Amino acid sequence: MAVWAVVAFGFAAPVAAQTSAFSRALAEAASQDQALAGFYRDAGYASLWTSAKDSPRRAALMRALSSAAAQGLPEARYNASGLLRAAKAASTQGDLGRLEVAFSQAFLSYATDLNSGALTPKKIDAGILREIIRPKPADLLQGLAAAERPYSYMRSLAPRAPQYARLVKEKLRLETEGQIETKLSSAKLELGDTGSAVIALRNRLIQLNYIDRSASAAYDSQIRRAVQQFQLDQRIEPDGIAGSSTIAALNKTAEQRLAAITVALERMRWMADTDLGARHIWVNQPSFVADIVDNGRVSFETRVVIGKASKDTESPEFSDVMEYMVINPSWGVPRSIIVKEYLPLLQQNPNAVGHLQVIDGQGRVVSRGAVNFASYSASSFPYGLRQPPSDGNALGKVKFMFPNPYNIYLHDTPAKSLFANEVRAYSHGCIRLGDPFDFAYTLLAKQSSDPKAEFATHLATKQETTLPLRAPVPVHLVYYTAWPTASGSIGYRPDIYGRDAALFEALVQAGVVVGGVQG
C-alpha cells in the first residue's frame, strides 16, 4: 500500500511511521554529501520533509521555488517538478528516504543561490575579486528545522538591502509591461522644439514614469524637468537637453534593462552579508562616482576616474576597509608600469622621467649615473621608481588607503580636466577622486571638531603624513549597470568593461530565464 496521500498543495505526504528502511535509504542517498550525511546522522535520521508534520516545509519550499525565476535564479536547477513526480510515485519507505535527501538537496541548492549567488564570479571575469561567503549547509538545514515559519525563513536568506527588493520589483514590471516598440530619433531635442519627435520623447518619459500623461506636443518646461531627472538618474549631465547620450539611454530596450537588472540581482547576492545601512564608501565604476553613505543615505558624492578599459588596467571589484589617509603622498610606481612604460624610456635616455627617483630594495635613492639601464630586462630590473610629494605628484595631495594585495586605492590627481568627461576611464586601475579634499573632510568629520583645519595643517608641512581613521570605513568597489536611485527609479549605466555581458551569458547558461525566454 502506498505511504503517500495527496494534500492540498498537490503533492504527497507520508502517512506511515518511519522505519529502518527509511533510515537506511536516507543514509545511503546522503552518503555522497558529507554535510548532508552529517546533518541527518546528528538528527537521528529524523525527517525534514517526508512525514505528515513536515507538510508546511514542503509547501514553503515549493512556493519558494516557484518564485525563483522572479529573482533571476535558475529555477530549473532546483527541479521542483521532478520532486513532485517523485513524491507522487513514492510507494515504499526506501522511496521516502531517497526523496527526503532529494528535497534537502533542492533546498540547499536554492538557499545557497539565493543567499550568495548562482555563479562563481572569479571563473567568469578575473577582475571580479570579490570573496563570496557561502552559507554552511548544516546551518541552513538547522535554521530551517528550527523555523516556526519555514517560508519566512527561506525569504530571509535573500539580501536584505532594500535595493534588492526594488530590483526584483522593477524586473517584474519590465516583464509585465512588455517591450519598448520604437526607438527615438537621434536628433537633439531641447526647450521650444515641437513635432513628432517631441511627442515620441514625451511618450517615452511617460512610459518610464518620469512624467504624467500629457497631450502637449511641445518641449516645454515639464518635459525639460523630466529629462533632467532622467539624466540625473543615469549620471548624465543634467542640462535638460535630449542629446545623443540621453537619447541612447532612453532607447535601452526592455531586454537590455532586464539583463542589467538580472546581473545586478546576482551581484547583490554576492554581497548579501554587507550592511548597506552602515557607514561605507561605495564606488560604482560604471557610474564613475564615489559615495560616502551614512545610515543608508549618501552624505557625500564625487566624480571619479576609473581604470582604462583594457585587460591590465581595468579597476577590480572587491571590498575592504579604509584604515588611513596619506597627506602629501609619495608615489611608488607599480612594477607593471615601471617595466612596461618607464624602463624602455630609461634605456633610451637615463635622464628620462626626471620627476621620478630610482630606489633600491631598501628604499634608498640611487644615482641614475650608477645604473646601466640597458643591461636589464623587464624581469631582471632590480630597482623601483618613486615620485616624492609635489604639486605634480601622480597621486595629488592625498590618497586613501584600504590595504589590499591588488595595490588599489583612492587618490587625488593633478589631471583635473578628465573629470569634465562623461565617460571617465583613464587610470591604471586605482580610483581618482574629483573632490579629494571634501572627501577627506567628510571622513574626518567623525573624529575631528574642525576637519578642514586639521587637514590643512598637515598639508601645509609638504611632508608625507599618515592620518589614521579612528573608525575604519568599509570600501566597496562595485560594478552595477542597474541600480535604484534616490528618486525611486532605476538608473542604468554603460557596461564599460563588458563584465555584465559575460555574467549575463553565464547566468543564461546556468538556466536563468529572462522575460519568459531561456537563452
Side-chain angles (χ1 to χ4, degrees), residues 132-312:
I132 309 302
I133 301 175
R134 302 289 188 188
K136 295 180 180 179
D139 290 344
L140 291 171
L141 291 166
Q142 289 165 6
L144 177 67
E148 294 183 2
R149 301 173 64 187
Y151 184 66
S152 294
Y153 171 74
M154 293 179 195
R155 289 187 61 184
S156 74
L157 299 173
R160 298 184 183 182
Q163 291 89 344
Y164 186 82
R166 288 176 62 185
L167 288 167
V168 171
K169 182 178 179 181
E170 180 67 5
K171 182 175 183 293
L172 176 62
R173 187 188 73 81
L174 287 169
E175 290 174 333
T176 301
E177 295 185 4
Q179 313 305 311
I180 292 175
E181 295 180 357
T182 59
K183 286 193 172 184
L184 300 179
S185 166
S186 60
K188 182 174 75 173
L189 297 171
E190 55 189 317
L191 192 65
D193 287 344
T194 59
S196 59
V198 173
I199 293 173
L201 171 63
R202 179 204 67 196
N203 291 342
R204 181 63 47 79
L205 291 168
I206 291 171
Q207 183 181 19
L208 295 175
N209 297 319
Y210 279 92
I211 193 173
D212 294 332
R213 292 195 173 277
S214 166
S216 174
Y219 199 120
D220 55 19
S221 59
Q222 185 182 29
I223 289 180
R224 185 176 186 275
R225 286 193 299 272
V227 168
Q228 283 181 309
Q229 185 58 61
F230 177 81
Q231 290 171 326
L232 285 168
D233 289 343
Q234 311 309 314
R235 304 290 189 177
I236 298 171
E237 183 65 30
D239 57 11
I241 297 172
S244 58
S245 295
T246 301
I247 295 296
L250 286 165
N251 276 334
K252 278 187 178 291
T253 65
E255 290 95 338
Q256 290 171 320
R257 296 172 193 267
L258 278 168
I261 286 174
T262 301
V263 173
L265 289 168
E266 176 71 1
R267 290 182 181 277
M268 287 208 74
R269 290 189 285 265
W270 299 341
M271 302 179 70
D273 62 325
T274 303
D275 183 358
L276 296 185
R279 167 168 261 215
H280 64 273
I281 295 165
W282 185 262
V283 183
N284 190 20
Q285 296 168 39
S287 297
F288 306 105
V289 167
D291 295 326
I292 298 177
V293 181
D294 288 289
N295 300 316
R297 295 180 178 274
V298 175
S299 56
F300 182 77
E301 178 178 294
T302 181
R303 291 186 168 204
V304 302
V305 167
I306 67 172
K308 288 180 285 190
S310 65
K311 179 181 179 181
D312 297 328

Side-chain angles (χ1 to χ4, degrees), residues 19-46:
T19 67
S20 58
F22 171 88
S23 299
R24 286 196 303 272
L26 191 163
E28 182 179 355
S31 63
Q32 301 304 309
D33 186 320
Q34 184 176 358
L36 201 57
F39 168 78
Y40 277 110
R41 183 174 60 250
D42 293 344
Y45 299 101

Side-chain angles (χ1 to χ4, degrees), residues 455-488:
F455 186 88
T457 297
H458 294 299
L459 188 65
T461 69
K462 297 188 177 182
Q463 300 297 311
E464 187 166 5
T465 303
T466 297
L467 189 56
L469 295 178
R470 293 177 192 166
V473 182
V475 179
H476 306 295
L477 303 187
V478 299
Y479 192 99
Y480 285 92
T481 62
W483 190 251
T485 70
S487 70

